[in-house]
Amino acid sequence: MTADPAKARIAVIGAGLMGHGIAQVFAVAGHDVTITDSFVQNLDTTKSRIAANLRDLGEDESAVARVRTCADLGEAVRDADYVVEAVSEDLPLKQELFAEIERHVRADTILASNTSVIPITAIMQGLAARERALGTHWWNPPFLVPLVEVIETQWTAAATIAWTMKLHEAAGKKPAHVKKDVPGFIGNRLQHALWREAISLVEHGICDAETVDAVVKASFGRRLPVLGPLENADFVGTDLTLAIHNIVLPAIDGRPEPSPYLQKLVADKKLGFKSGEGFRKWSADEQAALRTKVMQHLKSMGDR
């Protein structure tokens, strides 16, 4: 691999929502980026979507010149120092992709998957050189959310982790080293533990969906940008935390399977924004307003 992560040549597999955003971040950081996708429409609009993002952010659009689209996977990865896959959450597809990628890259090229929850071990187990493979879970949108979880497997070399951490730091991201490969890594395990209890509260008639969201946003949600959960536990005292857990943990939903309430929503085609109704109803105007509100909030956060 190149000695300097700040000068690495990057290949991105997948030009959809996450892939084009990842390519944008690396291009803005000065990297030459090649991006490929099996869907021609995604590939054809990649550079225009990146340019639109840069305009919206008030950043220099010239960075898009460092992004090269390529229809052929082998050509896209051949000269790369680092390859990151950002296709759909489909384990067999990812396994097939990395088997093909490995046939075209150098022996020292680092291979990363951007999966949100699939164990990296499952994705990379068929590779010949598993020590150069790892996970890098970006959050949506990649150019506004700073975290990248860097996931180590039982085979990943320490040098691979160190180089990848430096690569993302140099690109302005905040990499977090996940030392054990588990489904969901860190962020999604925490997020969906909260979601499970939120759904349970509605399922059991304790409150409605609007109240759940209002409580989170008006209470501990306000502290989270500056006070993480374990900082908070130390802040109030581990003794108080233990006393609270003794009372509340036995009452919290601990089912290992998804909520029947959530399963019924999906079975009834109540898919949230996709159908106009999920836990609550959403008009087109309400959807647009919430999307705008989220994006404006993330922009205002910057790198905090």
Side-chain angles (χ1 to χ4, degrees), residues 195-209:
W195 290 16
R196 176 172 64 179
E197 184 59 26
I199 294 168
S200 179
L201 290 168
V202 176
E203 176 187 347
H204 291 98
I206 296 164
C207 62
D208 58 24

Side-chain angles (χ1 to χ4, degrees), residues 97-146:
L97 268 175
F98 278 106
E100 183 176 356
I101 289 166
E102 193 172 41
R103 290 195 290 269
H104 294 286
V105 296
R106 301 191 317 269
D108 62 347
T109 299
I110 290 178
L111 307 181
S113 174
N114 180 55
T115 177
S116 298
V117 294
I118 301 173
I120 306 304
T121 303
I123 296 170
M124 306 297 192
Q125 61 185 344
L127 295 183
R130 295 178 293 191
E131 68 279 358
R132 45 91 168 264
L134 75 173
T136 50
H137 174 219
W138 295 60
W139 291 70
N140 184 42
F143 47 87
L144 288 177
V145 181

